[in-house]
Amino acid sequence: FQHGALSGKRVFITAGPTREPLDPVRFISNHSSGKMGYALAEAAADAGADVRLISGPVNLPSPPRVECVQVESAEQMLAASLDGVEQCDIFIAAAAVADYRPVAVAEHKIKKGSEEIMELRLIKNPDIVATVAGLERQRPFTVGFAAETRDVLEYARSKLERKGLDLIIANDVSNPDIGFNSDDNAVTLVSTATTLTLPLGPKRLLARQLIDQIAEHFHRKSQR
Ligand code: C5P
């Protein structure tokens, strides 16, 4: 692990789930623990980067020497991600952003009615990492994640292309030993020209290897 590999670089990392409110007391969310994003933030800070962690609600302590911005919804996460992005060198999207949010947020608590079936209308959330990767001026080196249950590499490659990313970190979430909530993970790093598999290991070790790889790809691209 290379100390100083990211010295002087500004890194933004999104982490955790988002919460999409339905009314003042309810929301739609997911089981993301935020562990991978927090581990990446710590590893990036250890590599000398100036790190801003943009996090949905999680039960993790803020990593030392990392600026934390707490958000709830995908729209808040997008706004926090774009705020100051002109100064950002590397953007890493590790958050599990809700794909959809309720069309309307009720002002008051929704009351139980007599009907047996209740329908919710949802609208697509903005794609944060694709928005950042699509910036025309001052676009940071952009890294995304792809959690898949089958055809992991094919889906990862198509996501890399579709979202316009520099790198994508693919993980197979069909294996319960890795991914969501687990302390371990195994991933494959995919760029347009390369693939590299990092075997099963603790997320904190993996985060260090990922930050090394991201730094290398970033520096290689900046030299071109
Ligand atoms: O398309 P999918 O959700 O599988 O893509 C995952 C990647 O895209 C992750 O890096 C995730 O953080 C990012 N993403 C995002 N905004 C969304 C959905 C996903 O930044 N609305």
Side-chain angles (χ1 to χ4, degrees):
F1 180 67
Q2 293 170 18
H3 286 278
L6 289 178
S7 74
K9 300 300 169 198
R10 185 119 177 87
V11 176
F12 284 12
I13 300 176
T14 67
T18 64
R19 280 185 184 172
E20 309 301 331
L22 271 164
D23 70 13
V25 298
R26 302 185 180 94
F27 55 81
I28 295 173
S29 191
N30 61 65
H31 285 295
S32 167
S33 65
K35 282 174 189 164
M36 197 63 234
Y38 276 58
L40 285 165
E42 188 167 353
D46 286 347
D50 176 3
V51 183
R52 176 180 294 173
L53 180 59
I54 301 159
S55 177
V58 297
N59 279 309
L60 294 172
S62 308
R65 290 166 288 111
V66 167
E67 177 198 359
C68 289
V69 179
Q70 310 285 347
V71 298
E72 297 220 334
S73 67
E75 288 179 301
Q76 290 170 356
M77 188 174 274
L78 175 66
S81 298
L82 294 178
D83 184 17
V85 75
E86 333 58 74
Q87 269 93 49
C88 174
D89 298 295
I90 302 177
F91 187 91
I92 305 173
V97 183
D99 290 328
Y100 290 86
R101 68 177 181 276
V103 168
V105 183
E107 191 189 340
H108 295 286
K109 185 181 168 189
I110 300 167
K111 301 305 271 183
K112 179 161 56 188
S114 54
E115 63 278 23
E116 283 302 316
I117 291 181
M118 175 178 190
E119 291 187 354
L120 275 181
R121 277 170 66 80
L122 304 175
I123 182 169
K124 208 170 226 165
N125 265 330
D127 192 310
I128 298 166
V129 77
T131 305
V132 170
L135 290 173
E136 282 185 14
R137 286 154 35 89
Q138 312 269 359
R139 172 194 180 277
F141 185 88
T142 310
V143 183
F145 276 77
E148 307 291 347
T149 55
R150 62 189 172 101
D151 304 324
V152 176
L153 287 186
E154 283 92 298
Y155 282 125
R157 283 200 190 94
S158 74
K159 239 167 238 186
L160 178 81
E161 184 97 341
R162 179 162 42 84
K163 299 192 185 215
L165 310 179
D166 293 291
L167 273 178
I168 194 152
I169 301 161
N171 69 324
D172 183 347
V173 289
S174 66
N175 180 347
D177 292 341
I178 63 179
F180 269 40
N181 239 320
S182 165
D183 285 319
D184 292 331
N185 205 352
V187 300
T188 302
L189 216 89
V190 181
S191 73
T192 47
T194 63
T195 46
L196 174 71
T197 296
L198 300 176
L200 185 68
K203 280 181 179 170
R204 290 185 62 183
L205 174 68
L206 208 66
R208 289 171 162 263
Q209 297 171 314
L210 284 172
I211 289 297
D212 270 350
Q213 286 299 320
I214 291 167
E216 206 171 304
H217 280 268
F218 166 76
H219 289 299
R220 205 179 302 154
K221 187 178 181 188
S222 338
Q223 275 158 17
R224 280 210 308 259

